[in-house]
Amino acid sequence: MKIIEKEILSLEEKDILREIWNNEYPARLHLKTIEDFDLYLNGLLNTKHYLLFDDSDKINGWAFTFLREDENWFAIILNHGIQGKGSGTFLINELKKNNHSLNGWVTDHENEVKQNKEFYKSPMPFYIKNGFTILTETRIENEKMSAVKINWTR
């Protein structure tokens, strides 16, 4: 496994990442087209991408950091085939090396459904294991997501 840091993604990388996004995140976060994906990414400030490659140079995970309201935010997504094997921690540790603080939204329930009709498993235990604090008083509730804010500070 290796991580490559980039500021700009190629069209091929965007296509692969949008597919992983749509397969792994809840269905209501679905990005139908590459234009939808670009619209989302272009709305973020100071974005840095961290692509996780397997030994055969296939992208199996992605994390990205960005600035929102003077705070460092992040998101991470892994292909389901590599989840639970240390790859997420490998990616998170790379983000931690380059940031003093990280904030994110995390689904804290198991009511969401993925595109394939399987239930989306909350990654909350993963974040707790990796030193994040759950800020239970700060939630987002809208048509796209129901989540709680998490934070890691060095």
Side-chain angles (χ1 to χ4, degrees):
M1 293 261 172
K2 69 180 176 192
I3 296 170
I4 302 223
E5 185 180 330
K6 302 185 91 179
E7 290 192 19
I8 297 171
L9 298 170
S10 72
L11 184 57
E12 181 185 1
E13 290 163 342
K14 287 178 185 179
D15 217 26
I16 292 165
L17 296 174
R18 187 179 66 86
E19 184 178 336
I20 293 171
W21 174 293
N22 286 336
N23 288 339
E24 303 304 334
Y25 275 156
R28 59 183 174 154
L29 288 173
H30 184 76
L31 296 169
K32 287 186 174 91
T33 65
I34 204 74
E35 291 78 19
D36 292 338
F37 190 71
D38 278 338
L39 191 62
Y40 171 73
L41 289 178
N42 292 338
L44 305 175
L45 298 173
N46 295 358
T47 311
K48 283 190 185 159
H49 303 278
Y50 300 81
L51 303 179
L52 180 67
F53 289 85
D54 66 14
D55 295 334
S56 59
D57 278 339
K58 180 182 174 199
I59 298 173
N60 270 310
W62 170 45
F64 58 100
T65 58
F66 56 96
L67 198 59
R68 177 187 285 151
E69 297 173 3
D70 294 324
E71 289 184 323
N72 292 319
W73 283 73
F74 82 101
I76 183 173
I77 189 160
L78 298 175
N79 185 320
H80 67 277
I82 66 166
Q83 292 175 9
K85 299 178 180 170
S87 300
T89 298
F90 183 54
L91 257 176
I92 283 288
N93 286 340
E94 188 68 22
L95 299 183
K96 288 177 177 180
K97 280 187 216 172
N98 298 324
N99 294 277
H100 293 289
S101 176
L102 294 166
N103 295 283
W105 293 119
V106 178
T107 301
D108 58 345
H109 53 81
E110 311 261 330
N111 307 334
E112 298 288 341
V113 177
K114 300 193 307 186
Q115 289 290 107
N116 65 4
K117 308 295 184 223
E118 291 178 10
F119 280 98
Y120 175 78
K121 189 173 177 347
S122 171
M124 193 62 77
F126 165 80
Y127 291 111
I128 292 168
K129 180 182 86 173
N130 281 283
F132 284 80
T133 302
I134 304 164
L135 306 176
T136 52
E137 70 285 354
T138 308
R139 293 194 63 81
I140 185 169
E141 298 287 345
N142 61 34
E143 70 283 350
K144 290 284 187 190
M145 68 184 332
S146 167
V148 66
K149 186 176 180 181
I150 59 168
N151 171 269
W152 169 84
T153 302
R154 183 171 305 173

